[in-house]
Coordinates of all heavy atoms in Angstrom, one line a residue:
M29 N -5.9 55.0 -73.4 CA -6.9 55.2 -72.4 C -7.1 54.0 -71.5 O -7.2 54.1 -70.3 CB -8.2 55.6 -73.1 CG -9.3 56.0 -72.0 SD -8.9 57.5 -71.2 CE -10.4 58.1 -70.8
R30 N -7.0 52.8 -72.2 CA -7.1 51.6 -71.4 C -6.0 51.4 -70.4 O -6.1 50.8 -69.3 CB -7.1 50.4 -72.3 CG -8.4 50.2 -73.0 CD -8.4 48.9 -73.8 NE -9.1 49.2 -75.1 CZ -9.1 48.3 -76.1 NH1 -8.5 47.2 -76.0 NH2 -9.7 48.6 -77.2
S31 N -4.8 51.9 -70.7 CA -3.7 51.8 -69.8 C -3.9 52.5 -68.5 O -3.4 52.1 -67.4 CB -2.4 52.2 -70.5 OG -2.4 53.6 -70.8
F32 N -4.6 53.6 -68.5 CA -4.9 54.4 -67.3 C -5.9 53.6 -66.4 O -5.9 53.7 -65.2 CB -5.5 55.7 -67.7 CG -4.6 56.7 -68.3 CD1 -4.7 57.1 -69.6 CD2 -3.4 57.1 -67.6 CE1 -3.8 58.0 -70.1 CE2 -2.5 57.9 -68.1 CZ -2.7 58.4 -69.4
I33 N -6.7 52.8 -67.0 CA -7.7 52.0 -66.2 C -6.9 50.7 -65.7 O -7.1 50.3 -64.5 CB -8.9 51.5 -67.1 CG1 -9.7 52.8 -67.5 CG2 -9.7 50.5 -66.3 CD1 -10.7 52.5 -68.5
A34 N -6.1 50.1 -66.4 CA -5.4 48.9 -66.0 C -4.3 49.2 -65.0 O -4.0 48.4 -64.1 CB -4.8 48.2 -67.2
L35 N -3.7 50.4 -65.0 CA -2.6 50.7 -64.1 C -3.0 50.7 -62.6 O -2.3 50.0 -61.8 CB -2.0 52.1 -64.5 CG -0.8 52.5 -63.7 CD1 0.3 51.5 -63.8 CD2 -0.4 53.9 -64.1
P36 N -4.1 51.3 -62.2 CA -4.5 51.2 -60.8 C -4.8 49.7 -60.4 O -4.4 49.3 -59.3 CB -5.8 52.0 -60.7 CG -5.7 53.0 -61.8 CD -5.0 52.2 -62.9
A37 N -5.4 48.9 -61.3 CA -5.6 47.5 -60.9 C -4.3 46.8 -60.8 O -4.2 46.0 -59.8 CB -6.5 46.9 -62.0
A38 N -3.4 47.0 -61.6 CA -2.1 46.3 -61.5 C -1.3 46.7 -60.2 O -0.8 45.9 -59.5 CB -1.2 46.6 -62.7
L39 N -1.4 48.0 -59.9 CA -0.7 48.5 -58.7 C -1.4 47.9 -57.4 O -0.7 47.5 -56.5 CB -0.8 50.0 -58.6 CG 0.2 50.7 -59.6 CD1 0.0 52.2 -59.5 CD2 1.6 50.4 -59.3
S40 N -2.7 47.7 -57.4 CA -3.4 47.1 -56.3 C -2.9 45.7 -56.1 O -2.7 45.2 -55.0 CB -4.9 47.2 -56.5 OG -5.3 48.5 -56.5
C41 N -2.8 44.9 -57.2 CA -2.3 43.5 -57.1 C -0.9 43.5 -56.6 O -0.6 42.6 -55.7 CB -2.4 42.9 -58.5 SG -4.1 42.6 -59.0
I42 N 0.0 44.3 -57.0 CA 1.4 44.3 -56.6 C 1.4 44.7 -55.1 O 2.1 44.0 -54.3 CB 2.2 45.3 -57.4 CG1 2.4 44.8 -58.8 CG2 3.6 45.6 -56.8 CD1 3.0 45.7 -59.8
L43 N 0.7 45.7 -54.7 CA 0.7 46.0 -53.2 C 0.1 44.9 -52.4 O 0.6 44.7 -51.3 CB -0.2 47.3 -53.0 CG 0.5 48.6 -53.5 CD1 -0.5 49.8 -53.4 CD2 1.8 48.9 -52.7
A44 N -0.9 44.2 -52.9 CA -1.4 43.1 -52.1 C -0.4 42.0 -51.9 O -0.3 41.4 -50.9 CB -2.7 42.5 -52.8
L45 N 0.4 41.7 -53.0 CA 1.4 40.7 -52.9 C 2.5 41.1 -51.9 O 3.1 40.3 -51.2 CB 2.0 40.4 -54.3 CG 1.1 39.6 -55.2 CD1 1.7 39.6 -56.6 CD2 0.8 38.3 -54.7
C46 N 2.9 42.4 -51.9 CA 3.9 42.9 -51.0 C 3.5 42.8 -49.5 O 4.3 42.6 -48.7 CB 4.3 44.4 -51.3 SG 5.1 44.6 -52.9
N47 N 2.2 42.9 -49.3 CA 1.7 42.8 -47.9 C 1.3 41.4 -47.5 O 0.9 41.2 -46.4 CB 0.5 43.8 -47.7 CG 1.0 45.2 -47.7 OD1 2.0 45.5 -47.2 ND2 0.2 46.0 -48.4
A48 N 1.5 40.5 -48.4 CA 1.1 39.1 -48.1 C 2.2 38.3 -47.4 O 3.4 38.7 -47.5 CB 0.8 38.4 -49.4
A49 N 1.8 37.4 -46.6 CA 2.7 36.5 -45.9 C 2.7 35.2 -46.6 O 1.7 34.6 -46.9 CB 2.2 36.3 -44.4
N50 N 3.9 34.7 -46.9 CA 4.0 33.4 -47.5 C 4.6 32.4 -46.5 O 5.7 32.6 -46.0 CB 5.0 33.5 -48.7 CG 4.4 34.3 -49.8 OD1 3.3 34.1 -50.2 ND2 5.1 35.4 -50.2
I51 N 3.8 31.4 -46.1 CA 4.2 30.5 -45.1 C 4.1 29.1 -45.7 O 3.1 28.7 -46.3 CB 3.2 30.6 -43.9 CG1 3.2 32.0 -43.3 CG2 3.5 29.6 -42.8 CD1 1.9 32.7 -43.3
S52 N 5.1 28.3 -45.4 CA 5.1 26.9 -45.9 C 5.2 26.0 -44.6 O 6.0 26.3 -43.7 CB 6.3 26.6 -46.8 OG 6.1 27.2 -48.0
I53 N 4.4 25.0 -44.6 CA 4.4 24.0 -43.6 C 4.6 22.6 -44.2 O 4.0 22.3 -45.2 CB 3.1 24.0 -42.8 CG1 2.8 25.4 -42.2 CG2 3.1 23.0 -41.6 CD1 1.4 25.5 -41.5
S54 N 5.5 21.8 -43.6 CA 5.8 20.5 -44.1 C 5.7 19.5 -43.0 O 6.1 19.8 -41.9 CB 7.2 20.5 -44.7 OG 7.6 19.2 -45.0
N55 N 5.3 18.3 -43.3 CA 5.4 17.2 -42.4 C 6.5 16.2 -42.8 O 6.5 15.1 -42.5 CB 4.1 16.5 -42.2 CG 3.6 15.8 -43.5 OD1 4.3 15.8 -44.5 ND2 2.4 15.3 -43.5
K56 N 7.5 16.7 -43.6 CA 8.7 16.1 -44.1 C 8.4 15.1 -45.2 O 9.3 14.5 -45.8 CB 9.4 15.4 -42.9 CG 9.9 16.4 -41.9 CD 10.8 15.8 -40.8 CE 11.2 16.8 -39.8 NZ 11.9 16.3 -38.7
T57 N 7.1 14.9 -45.6 CA 6.8 14.1 -46.8 C 6.0 15.0 -47.8 O 6.1 14.8 -49.0 CB 6.1 12.8 -46.5 OG1 4.9 13.1 -45.8 CG2 6.9 11.9 -45.7
E58 N 5.2 15.9 -47.2 CA 4.3 16.7 -48.1 C 4.4 18.1 -47.5 O 4.7 18.3 -46.3 CB 2.9 16.3 -48.0 CG 2.6 14.9 -48.6 CD 1.2 14.5 -48.5 OE1 0.4 15.2 -49.2 OE2 0.9 13.6 -47.7
Y59 N 4.1 19.1 -48.3 CA 4.1 20.5 -47.8 C 3.0 21.3 -48.4 O 2.5 20.9 -49.5 CB 5.4 21.2 -47.9 CG 5.8 21.7 -49.3 CD1 5.5 23.0 -49.7 CD2 6.3 20.8 -50.2 CE1 5.8 23.4 -51.0 CE2 6.6 21.2 -51.5 CZ 6.4 22.5 -51.9 OH 6.7 22.9 -53.1
K60 N 2.6 22.4 -47.8 CA 1.6 23.2 -48.3 C 2.0 24.7 -48.1 O 2.6 25.0 -47.1 CB 0.3 22.9 -47.6 CG -0.9 23.6 -48.2 CD -2.2 23.1 -47.7 CE -3.4 23.7 -48.5 NZ -4.6 23.2 -48.1
I61 N 1.7 25.5 -49.0 CA 2.0 26.9 -49.0 C 0.7 27.7 -48.7 O -0.3 27.5 -49.3 CB 2.7 27.4 -50.3 CG1 4.0 26.7 -50.5 CG2 2.9 28.9 -50.2 CD1 4.5 27.0 -51.9
Y62 N 0.8 28.6 -47.7 CA -0.3 29.4 -47.3 C 0.2 30.9 -47.6 O 1.3 31.3 -47.3 CB -0.6 29.3 -45.8 CG -1.1 27.9 -45.5 CD1 -0.3 27.0 -45.1 CD2 -2.5 27.6 -45.5 CE1 -0.7 25.7 -44.7 CE2 -3.0 26.4 -45.2 CZ -2.1 25.4 -44.8 OH -2.5 24.2 -44.5
N63 N -0.7 31.6 -48.3 CA -0.4 33.0 -48.6 C -1.6 33.9 -48.1 O -2.7 33.7 -48.6 CB -0.3 33.1 -50.1 CG 0.2 34.5 -50.6 OD1 0.1 35.5 -49.8 ND2 0.6 34.6 -51.8
T64 N -1.3 34.8 -47.2 CA -2.3 35.6 -46.7 C -1.7 37.0 -46.3 O -0.6 37.1 -46.0 CB -2.9 35.0 -45.4 OG1 -3.9 35.9 -44.9 CG2 -1.9 34.7 -44.3
G65 N -2.5 38.0 -46.4 CA -2.2 39.3 -46.0 C -3.0 39.7 -44.8 O -2.9 40.9 -44.4
D66 N -3.6 38.8 -44.2 CA -4.5 39.1 -43.1 C -3.9 38.6 -41.8 O -3.1 37.6 -41.8 CB -5.9 38.4 -43.4 CG -7.0 39.0 -42.7 OD1 -6.8 39.8 -41.7 OD2 -8.2 38.7 -43.0
S67 N -4.4 39.1 -40.7 CA -3.9 38.7 -39.4 C -4.9 37.9 -38.6 O -4.7 37.6 -37.4 CB -3.4 39.9 -38.6 OG -4.5 40.7 -38.3
K68 N -5.9 37.4 -39.3 CA -6.9 36.5 -38.6 C -6.3 35.1 -38.4 O -5.3 34.8 -39.0 CB -8.2 36.5 -39.4 CG -8.1 35.8 -40.7 CD -9.5 35.7 -41.4 CE -9.4 34.8 -42.6 NZ -10.7 34.6 -43.2
C69 N -7.0 34.3 -37.7 CA -6.6 32.9 -37.4 C -6.9 32.1 -38.6 O -8.1 32.1 -39.1 CB -7.3 32.4 -36.1 SG -6.9 30.8 -35.7
F70 N -6.0 31.3 -39.1 CA -6.2 30.4 -40.2 C -6.0 29.0 -39.8 O -4.9 28.6 -39.2 CB -5.2 30.7 -41.4 CG -5.5 32.0 -42.1 CD1 -5.0 33.2 -41.7 CD2 -6.4 32.0 -43.2 CE1 -5.3 34.3 -42.4 CE2 -6.7 33.1 -43.9 CZ -6.1 34.3 -43.4
A71 N -6.9 28.1 -40.1 CA -6.7 26.7 -39.8 C -5.9 26.1 -40.9 O -5.9 26.5 -42.0 CB -8.1 26.0 -39.8
V72 N -5.1 25.1 -40.6 CA -4.2 24.4 -41.5 C -4.7 23.0 -41.9 O -5.6 22.5 -41.2 CB -2.7 24.3 -41.1 CG1 -2.2 25.7 -40.8 CG2 -2.6 23.5 -39.8
D73 N -4.2 22.4 -42.9 CA -4.6 21.1 -43.4 C -4.4 20.1 -42.3 O -3.4 20.1 -41.5 CB -3.7 20.8 -44.6 CG -4.3 19.6 -45.4 OD1 -4.1 18.5 -44.9 OD2 -4.9 19.9 -46.4
N74 N -5.2 19.0 -42.2 CA -5.1 18.0 -41.2 C -3.8 17.2 -41.3 O -3.5 16.5 -40.3 CB -6.3 17.0 -41.4 CG -7.6 17.7 -40.9 OD1 -7.6 18.6 -40.1 ND2 -8.7 17.2 -41.4
M75 N -3.1 17.2 -42.4 CA -1.9 16.4 -42.5 C -0.8 16.9 -41.5 O 0.2 16.2 -41.3 CB -1.4 16.4 -43.9 CG -0.8 17.7 -44.4 SD -0.2 17.4 -46.1 CE -0.7 18.9 -46.9
F76 N -1.0 18.1 -40.9 CA 0.0 18.6 -40.0 C -0.3 18.4 -38.5 O 0.2 19.0 -37.6 CB 0.2 20.1 -40.2 CG 0.6 20.4 -41.7 CD1 -0.2 21.2 -42.4 CD2 1.7 19.9 -42.2 CE1 0.1 21.5 -43.8 CE2 2.0 20.1 -43.6 CZ 1.2 20.9 -44.3
Q77 N -1.2 17.4 -38.2 CA -1.5 17.1 -36.9 C -0.6 16.1 -36.2 O -0.8 15.7 -35.1 CB -3.0 16.6 -36.8 CG -3.9 17.7 -37.1 CD -5.4 17.3 -37.0 OE1 -5.7 16.2 -36.5 NE2 -6.3 18.1 -37.4
G78 N 0.5 15.7 -36.9 CA 1.5 14.8 -36.3 C 2.5 15.6 -35.6 O 2.5 16.8 -35.5
N79 N 3.6 14.9 -35.1 CA 4.6 15.6 -34.3 C 5.9 15.8 -35.1 O 6.9 16.1 -34.5 CB 4.9 14.7 -33.1 CG 3.8 14.8 -32.1 OD1 3.1 15.8 -32.0 ND2 3.6 13.7 -31.3
T80 N 5.9 15.7 -36.4 CA 7.1 15.9 -37.2 C 6.8 16.9 -38.3 O 6.7 16.6 -39.4 CB 7.6 14.6 -37.8 OG1 6.5 14.0 -38.6 CG2 8.0 13.6 -36.8
N81 N 6.7 18.2 -37.8 CA 6.4 19.3 -38.8 C 7.6 20.2 -38.9 O 8.5 20.3 -38.0 CB 5.2 20.1 -38.3 CG 4.0 19.2 -38.3 OD1 3.6 18.7 -39.4 ND2 3.3 19.1 -37.2
Q82 N 7.7 21.0 -40.0 CA 8.6 22.0 -40.2 C 7.9 23.2 -40.7 O 6.9 23.0 -41.5 CB 9.7 21.6 -41.2 CG 10.6 20.5 -40.7 CD 11.7 20.2 -41.7 OE1 11.4 20.1 -42.9 NE2 12.9 20.0 -41.2
V83 N 8.4 24.4 -40.4 CA 7.7 25.6 -41.0 C 8.8 26.6 -41.5 O 10.0 26.5 -41.1 CB 6.9 26.4 -39.9 CG1 5.7 25.5 -39.5 CG2 7.7 26.8 -38.7
I84 N 8.4 27.4 -42.5 CA 9.3 28.4 -43.0 C 8.5 29.6 -43.3 O 7.3 29.5 -43.8 CB 10.1 27.9 -44.2 CG1 11.2 28.9 -44.6 CG2 9.3 27.6 -45.4 CD1 12.2 28.4 -45.6
V85 N 9.0 30.8 -43.1 CA 8.3 32.0 -43.3 C 9.1 32.8 -44.3 O 10.3 33.0 -44.1 CB 8.1 32.9 -42.0 CG1 7.4 34.2 -42.3 CG2 7.2 32.0 -41.0
F86 N 8.5 33.3 -45.4 CA 9.1 34.0 -46.5 C 8.7 35.5 -46.4 O 7.5 35.7 -46.5 CB 8.8 33.5 -47.9 CG 9.2 32.1 -48.1 CD1 8.3 31.0 -47.9 CD2 10.6 31.8 -48.4 CE1 8.7 29.7 -48.1 CE2 10.9 30.4 -48.6 CZ 10.0 29.4 -48.5
D87 N 9.6 36.4 -46.4 CA 9.3 37.8 -46.6 C 8.0 38.3 -45.9 O 7.1 38.7 -46.5 CB 9.2 38.2 -48.1 CG 10.4 37.8 -48.8 OD1 11.5 38.0 -48.3 OD2 10.3 37.3 -50.0
S88 N 8.0 38.2 -44.6 CA 6.8 38.4 -43.9 C 7.0 39.0 -42.5 O 8.1 39.1 -42.0 CB 6.0 37.1 -43.8 OG 4.9 37.2 -43.0
F89 N 5.9 39.2 -41.9 CA 5.9 39.6 -40.5 C 6.0 38.3 -39.7 O 5.9 37.2 -40.3 CB 4.5 40.2 -40.1 CG 4.3 41.5 -40.8 CD1 3.6 41.6 -42.0 CD2 4.9 42.7 -40.2 CE1 3.4 42.9 -42.6 CE2 4.7 43.9 -40.9 CZ 4.0 44.0 -42.0
P90 N 6.3 38.3 -38.4 CA 6.3 37.1 -37.6 C 5.0 36.3 -37.7 O 3.9 36.9 -37.9 CB 6.5 37.6 -36.2 CG 7.1 39.0 -36.3 CD 6.5 39.5 -37.6
V91 N 5.1 35.0 -37.6 CA 4.0 34.1 -37.7 C 4.0 33.2 -36.4 O 5.0 32.6 -36.1 CB 4.0 33.2 -39.0 CG1 2.8 32.3 -39.0 CG2 4.1 34.1 -40.2
M92 N 2.8 33.1 -35.8 CA 2.7 32.2 -34.6 C 1.9 31.0 -35.1 O 0.9 31.1 -35.7 CB 2.0 33.0 -33.5 CG 2.8 34.2 -33.0 SD 1.9 35.1 -31.8 CE 2.4 34.2 -30.3
F93 N 2.4 29.8 -34.7 CA 1.8 28.5 -35.0 C 1.2 28.0 -33.7 O 1.8 28.0 -32.7 CB 2.8 27.6 -35.6 CG 3.3 28.1 -36.9 CD1 4.5 28.9 -36.9 CD2 2.7 27.8 -38.1 CE1 5.0 29.4 -38.1 CE2 3.2 28.3 -39.3 CZ 4.3 29.1 -39.3
Y94 N 0.0 27.4 -33.8 CA -0.8 26.9 -32.7 C -1.2 25.5 -32.8 O -1.4 24.9 -33.9 CB -2.1 27.8 -32.5 CG -1.8 29.2 -32.3 CD1 -1.8 30.1 -33.3 CD2 -1.6 29.7 -31.0 CE1 -1.5 31.5 -33.1 CE2 -1.3 31.1 -30.8 CZ -1.3 31.9 -31.9 OH -1.0 33.3 -31.6
G95 N -1.3 24.8 -31.6 CA -1.7 23.4 -31.5 C -3.2 23.2 -31.6 O -3.7 22.1 -31.7
N96 N -4.0 24.3 -31.5 CA -5.5 24.2 -31.6 C -6.0 25.0 -32.8 O -5.3 26.0 -33.2 CB -6.1 24.8 -30.3 CG -5.8 24.0 -29.1 OD1 -5.3 22.8 -29.2 ND2 -6.1 24.5 -27.9
A97 N -7.1 24.7 -33.3 CA -7.7 25.3 -34.5 C -8.1 26.7 -34.3 O -8.4 27.5 -35.2 CB -8.9 24.5 -35.0
D98 N -8.2 27.2 -33.0 CA -8.7 28.5 -32.7 C -7.6 29.5 -32.3 O -7.8 30.5 -31.7 CB -9.8 28.5 -31.6 CG -9.2 27.9 -30.3 OD1 -8.1 27.4 -30.3 OD2 -10.0 28.0 -29.3
C99 N -6.4 29.2 -32.8 CA -5.2 30.0 -32.5 C -5.0 30.2 -31.0 O -4.7 31.2 -30.4 CB -5.3 31.4 -33.1 SG -4.9 31.3 -34.9
S100 N -5.1 29.0 -30.3 CA -4.7 29.0 -28.9 C -3.6 27.8 -28.7 O -3.4 27.1 -29.7 CB -5.9 28.7 -28.0 OG -6.5 27.5 -28.3
N101 N -2.9 27.7 -27.7 CA -1.9 26.7 -27.4 C -0.7 26.9 -28.4 O -0.5 26.1 -29.3 CB -2.5 25.3 -27.6 CG -1.5 24.3 -27.1 OD1 -0.5 24.5 -26.4 ND2 -1.8 23.0 -27.5
L102 N 0.0 28.0 -28.2 CA 1.2 28.4 -29.0 C 2.2 27.2 -29.0 O 2.6 26.8 -28.0 CB 1.8 29.6 -28.5 CG 3.0 30.2 -29.2 CD1 2.6 30.6 -30.6 CD2 3.7 31.3 -28.4
V103 N 2.6 26.8 -30.2 CA 3.7 25.8 -30.3 C 5.0 26.3 -30.9 O 6.0 25.7 -30.8 CB 3.2 24.5 -31.0 CG1 2.1 23.8 -30.3 CG2 2.8 24.8 -32.5
S104 N 4.9 27.4 -31.7 CA 6.1 28.0 -32.3 C 5.8 29.4 -32.8 O 4.7 29.7 -33.2 CB 6.5 27.1 -33.5 OG 7.7 27.6 -34.1
M105 N 6.9 30.2 -32.8 CA 6.8 31.5 -33.4 C 8.0 31.6 -34.3 O 9.1 31.4 -33.9 CB 6.8 32.6 -32.4 CG 6.7 34.0 -33.0 SD 6.5 35.2 -31.7 CE 6.3 36.7 -32.6
N106 N 7.8 32.0 -35.6 CA 8.8 32.1 -36.5 C 8.8 33.4 -37.3 O 7.8 34.0 -37.5 CB 8.7 30.9 -37.5 CG 8.9 29.6 -36.8 OD1 7.9 29.1 -36.2 ND2 10.1 29.0 -36.9
Y107 N 10.0 33.8 -37.7 CA 10.3 34.9 -38.5 C 10.8 34.5 -39.8 O 11.1 33.3 -40.1 CB 11.3 35.8 -37.8 CG 10.9 36.3 -36.5 CD1 11.2 35.5 -35.3 CD2 10.3 37.5 -36.3 CE1 10.8 36.0 -34.1 CE2 9.9 38.0 -35.1 CZ 10.1 37.2 -33.9 OH 9.7 37.6 -32.7
K108 N 11.1 35.4 -40.7 CA 11.7 35.1 -42.0 C 13.0 34.4 -41.8 O 13.8 34.7 -41.0 CB 12.0 36.4 -42.8 CG 12.6 36.2 -44.1 CD 12.9 37.5 -44.7 CE 13.7 37.4 -46.0 NZ 14.0 38.7 -46.6
G109 N 13.2 33.3 -42.5 CA 14.4 32.5 -42.3 C 14.2 31.1 -42.9 O 13.4 30.8 -43.7
G110 N 15.1 30.2 -42.4 CA 15.1 28.8 -42.9 C 14.1 27.9 -42.2 O 13.3 28.4 -41.4
W111 N 14.1 26.7 -42.6 CA 13.1 25.7 -42.1 C 13.4 25.5 -40.6 O 14.5 25.5 -40.2 CB 13.3 24.4 -42.8 CG 12.7 24.3 -44.1 CD1 13.4 24.4 -45.3 CD2 11.3 24.2 -44.5 NE1 12.5 24.4 -46.4 CE2 11.2 24.2 -45.9 CE3 10.1 24.1 -43.8 CZ2 10.0 24.1 -46.6 CZ3 8.9 24.0 -44.4 CH2 8.9 24.0 -45.8
T112 N 12.3 25.5 -39.8 CA 12.4 25.3 -38.4 C 11.6 24.1 -38.0 O 10.4 24.0 -38.4 CB 11.9 26.5 -37.6 OG1 12.6 27.7 -38.0 CG2 12.0 26.4 -36.1
D113 N 12.1 23.2 -37.2 CA 11.4 22.0 -36.7 C 10.4 22.4 -35.7 O 10.7 23.2 -34.8 CB 12.3 21.0 -36.1 CG 13.2 20.3 -37.1 OD1 12.7 20.1 -38.3 OD2 14.3 19.8 -36.8
V114 N 9.2 21.9 -35.8 CA 8.1 22.0 -34.8 C 7.7 20.6 -34.4 O 7.0 20.0 -35.2 CB 6.9 22.9 -35.3 CG1 5.9 23.0 -34.2 CG2 7.4 24.3 -35.8
N115 N 8.1 20.1 -33.3 CA 7.8 18.8 -32.9 C 6.5 18.7 -32.2 O 6.4 17.9 -31.2 CB 9.0 18.2 -32.1 CG 10.2 18.1 -32.9 OD1 10.2 17.7 -34.1 ND2 11.3 18.5 -32.4
R116 N 5.5 19.4 -32.6 CA 4.2 19.4 -32.1 C 3.2 19.5 -33.2 O 3.5 19.9 -34.3 CB 4.0 20.6 -31.2 CG 5.0 20.8 -30.1 CD 4.6 20.1 -28.7 NE 3.3 20.4 -28.2 CZ 2.9 21.4 -27.5 NH1 3.8 22.3 -27.1 NH2 1.7 21.5 -27.1
P117 N 1.9 19.1 -33.0 CA 0.9 19.2 -34.1 C 0.7 20.7 -34.3 O 0.8 21.5 -33.4 CB -0.3 18.6 -33.5 CG 0.2 17.7 -32.4 CD 1.4 18.3 -31.9
I118 N 0.4 21.1 -35.6 CA 0.1 22.4 -36.0 C -1.3 22.4 -36.5 O -1.6 21.7 -37.5 CB 1.1 23.0 -37.0 CG1 2.5 23.0 -36.4 CG2 0.6 24.4 -37.5 CD1 3.5 23.4 -37.5
R119 N -2.2 23.2 -35.9 CA -3.6 23.2 -36.4 C -4.1 24.5 -36.9 O -5.1 24.7 -37.5 CB -4.5 22.7 -35.3 CG -4.2 21.2 -35.0 CD -5.3 20.5 -34.2 NE -5.1 19.1 -34.1 CZ -4.6 18.6 -32.9 NH1 -4.4 19.3 -31.9 NH2 -4.4 17.3 -32.9
S120 N -3.3 25.6 -36.6 CA -3.6 26.9 -37.0 C -2.4 27.9 -36.9 O -1.4 27.5 -36.3 CB -4.8 27.5 -36.2 OG -4.4 27.6 -34.8
F121 N -2.5 29.0 -37.6 CA -1.4 30.0 -37.5 C -2.1 31.4 -37.6 O -3.2 31.6 -38.1 CB -0.4 29.8 -38.6 CG -0.9 30.1 -40.0 CD1 -0.8 31.4 -40.5 CD2 -1.4 29.2 -40.8 CE1 -1.2 31.7 -41.8 CE2 -1.8 29.4 -42.1 CZ -1.7 30.7 -42.6
Q122 N -1.3 32.4 -37.2 CA -1.7 33.8 -37.3 C -0.5 34.6 -37.6 O 0.6 34.5 -37.0 CB -2.3 34.2 -35.9 CG -2.9 35.6 -35.9 CD -3.6 35.9 -34.6 OE1 -3.3 35.3 -33.6 NE2 -4.5 36.8 -34.6
V123 N -0.6 35.5 -38.6 CA 0.4 36.5 -38.9 C 0.3 37.6 -38.0 O -0.8 38.2 -37.8 CB 0.3 36.9 -40.4 CG1 1.3 38.0 -40.7 CG2 0.3 35.8 -41.3
I124 N 1.4 38.0 -37.4 CA 1.4 39.1 -36.4 C 1.8 40.4 -37.2 O 2.9 40.7 -37.5 CB 2.4 38.9 -35.3 CG1 2.2 37.5 -34.6 CG2 2.4 40.0 -34.3 CD1 0.8 37.4 -34.1
R125 N 0.8 41.2 -37.5 CA 0.9 42.5 -38.2 C 0.5 43.6 -37.3 O -0.7 43.8 -37.0 CB 0.1 42.5 -39.4 CG 0.6 41.4 -40.5 CD -0.1 41.6 -41.7 NE 0.0 43.0 -42.2 CZ -0.3 43.4 -43.4 NH1 -0.7 42.6 -44.3 NH2 -0.1 44.7 -43.7
P126 N 1.4 44.4 -36.8 CA 1.1 45.5 -35.9 C 0.1 46.5 -36.5 O -0.8 47.0 -35.8 CB 2.4 46.2 -35.6 CG 3.5 45.3 -36.1 CD 2.9 44.3 -37.1
D127 N 0.1 46.6 -37.8 CA -0.8 47.6 -38.5 C -2.2 47.0 -38.6 O -3.1 47.7 -39.0 CB -0.3 48.0 -39.8 CG 0.0 46.8 -40.8 OD1 0.2 45.7 -40.3 OD2 -0.1 47.0 -42.0
K128 N -2.4 45.7 -38.4 CA -3.7 45.1 -38.6 C -4.3 44.6 -37.3 O -5.3 43.9 -37.3 CB -3.6 43.9 -39.5 CG -3.1 44.2 -40.9 CD -4.2 44.8 -41.7 CE -3.7 45.1 -43.1 NZ -4.8 45.6 -44.0
Q129 N -3.7 44.9 -36.1 CA -4.2 44.4 -34.8 C -5.4 45.2 -34.4 O -5.6 46.3 -34.6 CB -3.1 44.4 -33.8 CG -2.0 43.5 -34.1 CD -2.3 42.0 -34.1 OE1 -3.1 41.6 -33.3 NE2 -1.8 41.3 -35.1

């Protein structure tokens, strides 16, 4: 009987992970991973306010990176793939999900 209760909870967790965006940002000495399934604007750590950043997007929708904390001043747009240089400060990002707009 317990397995019938645990099964929906496990499926919900798996679906949430499948819909999540995994984004890594590096300033070439440190990096941070952001995991979100939401398309709202997310502020990033202050360590990425320099001009030597890299980004990578894993198994996700496109991600837009911004130079301002309010998701304005677009500095890069990235899709799933390898590390991409962003020679501008990154202060926020937003996952572009057509189903969540």
Side-chain angles (χ1 to χ4, degrees):
M29 185 68 151
R30 285 186 218 170
S31 63
F32 290 115
I33 295 170
L35 184 61
L39 286 175
S40 295
C41 291
I42 291 170
L43 287 173
L45 289 174
C46 290
N47 288 322
N50 296 304
I51 299 120
S52 291
I53 304 174
S54 170
N55 62 7
K56 299 184 182 176
T57 57
E58 300 179 65
Y59 75 96
K60 189 165 185 178
I61 299 171
Y62 296 90
N63 186 344
T64 178
D66 204 344
S67 61
K68 69 179 188 173
C69 182
F70 287 91
V72 300
D73 197 283
N74 288 336
M75 71 177 141
F76 305 118
Q77 291 185 9
N79 289 330
T80 55
N81 295 301
Q82 293 181 320
V83 296
I84 190 169
V85 177
F86 300 98
D87 303 322
S88 173
F89 295 97
V91 179
M92 298 178 84
F93 297 90
Y94 298 93
N96 295 346
D98 61 352
C99 285
S100 60
N101 190 18
L102 180 67
V103 295
S104 181
M105 181 172 182
N106 295 82
Y107 300 87
K108 178 181 173 182
W111 285 101
T112 302
D113 288 332
V114 180
N115 296 319
R116 306 267 314 270
I118 298 173
R119 294 196 176 104
S120 61
F121 71 87
Q122 184 175 23
V123 177
I124 307 304
R125 293 189 54 168
D127 60 332
K128 299 283 184 175
Q129 297 294 321

